[in-house]
Amino acid sequence: MAKDIYQRLEQDHREMQQMMGRLSERFDDRTFKKLATELTAHTVAEEKVLYHAVVKEEPAHQPVLEGYEEHHVAELILRELKSNQHGTDRWKAKFKVLKENVEHHIEEEESTMFSAVREVLPQQEAQKMVSKFESEKRKHH
């Protein structure tokens, strides 16, 4: 089990990066559906558990607001991917944009945002957030 919310989120990030990598090489409907479910559950739980807790605190405020917006963009692209014919050239181009967006978000989140959040979130609270995150994520699977 993850020792704190940062480690737990990073576990999800690695899993999503692996799925996106596989989908970049070859489309597979089952992997895409799993990615879509995981990405949605992750972003909703992360926003409710971590973002909500620190959004009003400096220096986390601006990075968290950007995180909300990056999640929003990913959800928009994901919604379009779900409704378009899978595996076409246009779908692949749109998927590449999703992948780049999510990878950029992960990189910023794990560096800039986590660093800012650590300044305002006590480590004990970061540890307690793991079970809250798991519970919230289960609601969206």
Side-chain angles (χ1 to χ4, degrees):
M1 186 165 147
K3 69 179 177 104
D4 60 27
I5 191 64
Y6 313 109
Q7 194 177 70
R8 180 61 191 88
L9 295 173
E10 288 171 357
Q11 288 172 351
D12 273 9
H13 293 165
R14 299 298 84 77
E15 184 180 327
M16 285 184 277
Q17 286 173 317
Q18 287 176 341
M19 285 186 276
M20 288 186 303
R22 286 196 304 270
L23 286 165
S24 291
E25 293 171 12
R26 188 177 71 78
F27 177 78
D28 172 77
D29 193 56
R30 202 168 98 205
T31 302
F32 175 68
K33 286 178 180 171
K34 182 176 181 188
L35 173 67
T37 299
E38 284 297 314
L39 190 57
T40 300
H42 172 90
T43 58
V44 170
E46 181 176 54
E47 288 176 6
K48 287 187 176 182
V49 174
L50 180 62
Y51 287 15
H52 182 74
V54 298
V55 69
K56 294 181 179 168
E57 304 290 332
E58 289 296 344
H61 180 70
Q62 194 61 38
V64 169
L65 288 180
E66 289 174 21
Y68 276 120
E69 294 306 319
E70 289 170 351
H71 284 178
H72 176 68
V73 169
E75 280 298 315
L76 288 175
I77 298 169
L78 188 59
R79 193 175 314 135
E80 290 181 10
L81 286 168
K82 288 178 185 177
S83 66
N84 287 318
Q85 186 177 355
H86 299 168
T88 64
D89 287 344
R90 184 168 177 112
W91 189 93
K92 289 175 186 174
K94 194 175 292 284
F95 178 77
K96 184 176 181 183
V97 172
L98 173 71
K99 183 177 181 287
E100 290 170 353
N101 177 277
V102 171
E103 287 174 343
H104 168 80
H105 172 71
I106 287 170
E107 185 180 314
E108 276 196 348
E109 191 170 82
E110 291 182 2
S111 58
T112 308
M113 185 190 300
F114 284 4
S115 176
V117 171
R118 281 184 172 99
E119 290 185 38
V120 297
L121 185 70
Q123 181 60 23
Q124 186 176 11
E125 188 61 28
Q127 291 167 343
K128 289 179 187 175
M129 282 184 173
V130 174
S131 60
K132 292 177 189 173
F133 176 80
E134 294 290 349
S135 174
E136 194 62 44
K137 193 173 168 190
R138 276 190 298 276
K139 292 178 189 176
H140 299 281
H141 265 135

